[in-house]
Every structure is written in structure tokens, then in C-alpha cells.
Amino acid sequence: MKRTITHLADGRELIYFDRRDDADRSAIDRRPLDPRPVASELRYDPLTEEWIAVAGHRQTRTFLPPADECPLCPSSDTRASEIPAHDYDVVVFENRFPSFSGNFGVYEDAGGLTEVRPGVGRCEVMCFTSDHSSSFSRLSPARVELVMDAWADRTAELSALEGVEQVFCFENRGEEIGITLTHPHGQIYAYPYVTPRTKLQLGAASRYAAGHGGANLFADVLAAERAAGTRVVASNELWTAFVPAAARWPFEVHVYPHRRTPDLAALSEEERAAFAPLYTSVLRALDGLFDVAMPYISAWHQAPVRQDRELAYLHLELFSIRRAPGKLKYLAGSESAMGAFVNDVLPEEAARMLKSQVDH
């Protein structure tokens, strides 16, 4: 892998990841860009003990431009984009409209019982391919490996930043999910706190270990699902993909490596290579369910940077809000107000449907 660091016109960092050593990455961004926005402010909610990021500058971010104005496509002789090169393999750059950054402003007391502090951290965009009309499911195994190498690189680099407590790599796909750009891409958030869902999972893992002789909860969940086999969608020697027994979403798949590792940076070359064909087969199965491009969120759950790493188990959680042709699962009163999920699809039936597409 060749890794080339450059900078955009407003000072943001951009990194090319290439398989070829002779890739020319000397192109310069000559756009007249506005100054970078200051970091968001974090406000503490004492009722939930959670931090909320308030980033008003994100209201101005680009929203569903036409393909010929896509900011994630390579630059051309007639149009400059966020990527100065005329082609690329995988690119990562600092988000122009970040939720977290190191560019601090002035933060005033908001009153009440909340605490206010700067939204320290970093937000990056990762472009999986220069092909605007492609998708992650259509990437070659070699390209997926390069994406994984880039994820591992960014996880290690961002984990070393001062103030960062957790690194989150994810992809939003589909207008139904709320994307603002249709080009195949993901994002990486370097949070200044451990996220609420991670706290919940690691808290459960801690209690489980205390009551089961130090056993790891995630490892035991994986072992139980592999032994039962009922909800396993796909597997190989190093990875297993299954629908969780208590799935919240109509179509939800968790993908685990068989070896427990804390984060993407700890995966071996063999594990990165074995992930590619299994994961893309699951994505294609989702698309095949209703013969439509499925909207989804694909989220890597990694260990926090500084705490409970011995409890964590790297895994990916993939889910779609589509429950049937022409029907979406909306988070209405019970889910949005109370956090109490009601799933419309039996997990075993979802697994059967997905497995039939994987085997097809």
C-alpha cells in the first residue's frame, strides 16, 4: 500500500491510499475555499448522562448535488472537487463540515445544569472508489482490502490524537437513510467521549464477565450463534455473519472475526483478506431481497482508546430500515421517545431470506 499525504486549499489533510507505487498524487487544490469552521460545542445532558454535539455550521453542507457536481468524484480539467487528482483508488480527507475538530472557537456557559466544552476530535470522509455509479458491494476483493487497510491506518492515527476516546468507521447508504452525497463513501468519527451504545455494550460485557468466570460476552454470543446455526447468514474460516436473536431492525446482520481483537488496526492480513468476499456477499444479498438497492448503515464497533479494551470485541453491525417492498421501518413513538424497539420481521425469517440470497 502506498500512502500519500497532501492538503486541500483550506488546510485540511487529504490522504491517498494506492496499490500502485507509481501513482502520481502531486495535483494541487487551487479552489478559493472559505476558512474552516470552528469545532462544535458539546453540551452535557444530565438526564441521560450523554454528550450532545451542537454544530450549526453543518446546516450549510452540500445536499444531494447532481452527478456532474459531485464533490467526491475526481477533479477534471474543467471542474475541481474535494479530490485534486484525476483518478484515485481510496481517499480519506478531513470533512469540510465536521461534527468534531481541533479548530476551537469561543464557548460560553449555556446555563442550566449543562456543561459546555469544545467538540474536540476529528471527522473524515473516506471515498471507496472514484466510480460515482458503483457501490461497496461491487468493489473487488483487492479494493475492499485496501479500504480495510485505510480503516486500520486511520483507527491507529486518530486513536493517537489528544482528546480522542473512540474511533468509529461507518457507511450510510441510500437517500432513505439520510445521505447528502450519493458517491460511494463512508465516514470516520474520532469522538472526544465513549459513545452511549458502546458504554451499554461494555457495561453488559463487564457484568457478564463477573458472573461467568471472566468469559467474554461477545465471544460467547458469537460461539452460541455459530453453534445454533439458525441465524447464520454466511461464514468462512475467519469470519461469521449472523442475524442477532434480538435484532432491532427488519434486516440486521452482525459480522464477527473468529479471533477477538479490539479494533481494525489489530486485524491480520489474512483476516482483512477473508472479510472482503464474505461482506460483499452479504451486501449483495440485501440488494437481492427486493431487487432494489437497500438503504443501510454499516457500523464498526471498536474498543475505546483508553478504557475497557479487554472487554471489547471488534465487530460490524449492518442494518437496513427497509422492511418490505415500498415500506420502511420508521423510528416512531416507542423507538424515538422511549428507546424501546419493536421489530416487524422475525430474525429467523430475516436470516433465512438473506441466506437464500447469499446461496443464490
Side-chain angles (χ1 to χ4, degrees), residues 156-171:
E157 291 283 331
L158 296 176
S159 294
L161 293 180
E162 184 177 357
V164 169
E165 298 295 334
Q166 185 176 355
V167 177
F168 175 44
C169 304
F170 64 101
E171 180 193 2

Side-chain angles (χ1 to χ4, degrees), residues 45 99-100 120 167 171 173 187 199 212 241 250 267 319 337-338:
D45 182 353
S99 300
F100 308 99
V120 63
V167 177
E171 180 193 2
R173 187 223 195 179
Q187 299 181 65
K199 282 186 174 181
H212 294 79
L267 289 174
F319 59 89
M338 291 290 105

Side-chain angles (χ1 to χ4, degrees), residues 69-107:
E69 296 178 15
C70 174
L72 304 186
C73 285
S75 292
S76 67
D77 291 335
T78 58
R79 190 182 72 86
S81 73
E82 288 280 73
I83 297 96
H86 284 198
D87 68 352
Y88 63 82
D89 288 345
V90 174
V91 170
V92 176
F93 60 90
E94 288 184 80
N95 198 319
R96 190 174 178 183
F97 309 96
S99 300
F100 308 99
S101 77
N103 187 27
F104 298 155
V106 176
Y107 304 90

Side-chain angles (χ1 to χ4, degrees), residues 69-354:
E69 296 178 15
C70 174
L72 304 186
C73 285
S75 292
S76 67
D77 291 335
T78 58
R79 190 182 72 86
S81 73
E82 288 280 73
I83 297 96
H86 284 198
D87 68 352
Y88 63 82
D89 288 345
V90 174
V91 170
V92 176
F93 60 90
E94 288 184 80
N95 198 319
R96 190 174 178 183
F97 309 96
S99 300
F100 308 99
S101 77
N103 187 27
F104 298 155
V106 176
Y107 304 90
E108 300 178 355
D109 184 359
L113 293 183
T114 191
E115 175 189 346
V116 178
R117 71 185 195 191
V120 63
R122 180 154 152 154
C123 291
E124 297 181 338
V125 176
M126 176 184 286
C127 299
F128 305 132
T129 172
S130 61
D131 184 353
H132 182 87
S133 62
S134 188
S135 66
F136 202 113
S137 65
R138 292 164 59 188
L139 300 181
S140 68
R143 177 59 57 85
V144 176
E145 286 183 56
L146 184 59
V147 170
M148 293 201 79
D149 288 343
W151 276 332
D153 176 278
R154 303 317 303 148
T155 294
E157 291 283 331
L158 296 176
S159 294
L161 293 180
E162 184 177 357
V164 169
E165 298 295 334
Q166 185 176 355
V167 177
F168 175 44
C169 304
F170 64 101
E171 180 193 2
N172 298 327
R173 187 223 195 179
E175 290 186 34
E176 301 94 330
I177 290 294
I179 62 163
T180 57
L181 298 172
T182 58
H183 192 106
H185 74 287
Q187 299 181 65
I188 306 174
Y189 276 22
Y191 293 104
Y193 52 78
V194 178
T195 59
R197 184 165 173 81
T198 298
K199 282 186 174 181
L200 283 173
Q201 290 188 345
L202 295 180
S206 178
R207 292 186 291 274
Y208 184 86
H212 294 79
N216 183 271
L217 173 59
F218 301 98
D220 282 3
V221 166
L222 172 62
E225 291 292 349
R226 293 184 68 199
T230 310
R231 289 175 294 275
V232 171
V233 174
S235 65
N236 58 31
E237 292 183 357
L238 299 178
W239 295 83
T240 293
F242 62 90
V243 176
R248 287 167 166 75
W249 303 94
F251 294 96
E252 178 177 346
V253 180
H254 294 188
V255 185
Y256 276 64
H258 296 169
R259 181 177 68 94
R260 183 162 67 94
T261 64
D263 54 32
L264 287 156
L267 289 174
S268 67
E269 290 185 13
E270 293 76 16
E271 287 165 331
R272 297 178 193 184
F275 172 80
L278 182 140
Y279 180 56
T280 53
S281 72
V282 172
L283 293 181
R284 289 192 294 271
L286 277 174
D287 286 347
L289 283 176
F290 308 122
D291 292 324
V292 64
M294 286 284 271
Y296 65 72
I297 293 174
S298 179
W300 281 107
H301 289 249
Q302 308 198 80
V305 173
R306 271 173 278 275
Q307 65 185 71
D308 296 329
R309 291 181 66 81
E310 74 285 354
L311 294 171
Y313 194 127
L314 171 73
H315 65 284
L316 182 141
E317 297 187 7
L318 168 72
F319 59 89
S320 177
I321 61 173
R322 185 172 297 284
R323 58 186 175 88
K327 298 179 180 179
L328 301 179
K329 167 65 176 179
Y330 291 101
L331 298 190
S334 185
E335 292 89 357
S336 294
M338 291 290 105
F341 275 72
V342 180
N343 192 352
D344 305 297
V345 181
L346 186 70
E348 289 75 18
E349 176 63 11
R352 184 197 64 77
M353 294 171 68
L354 286 167

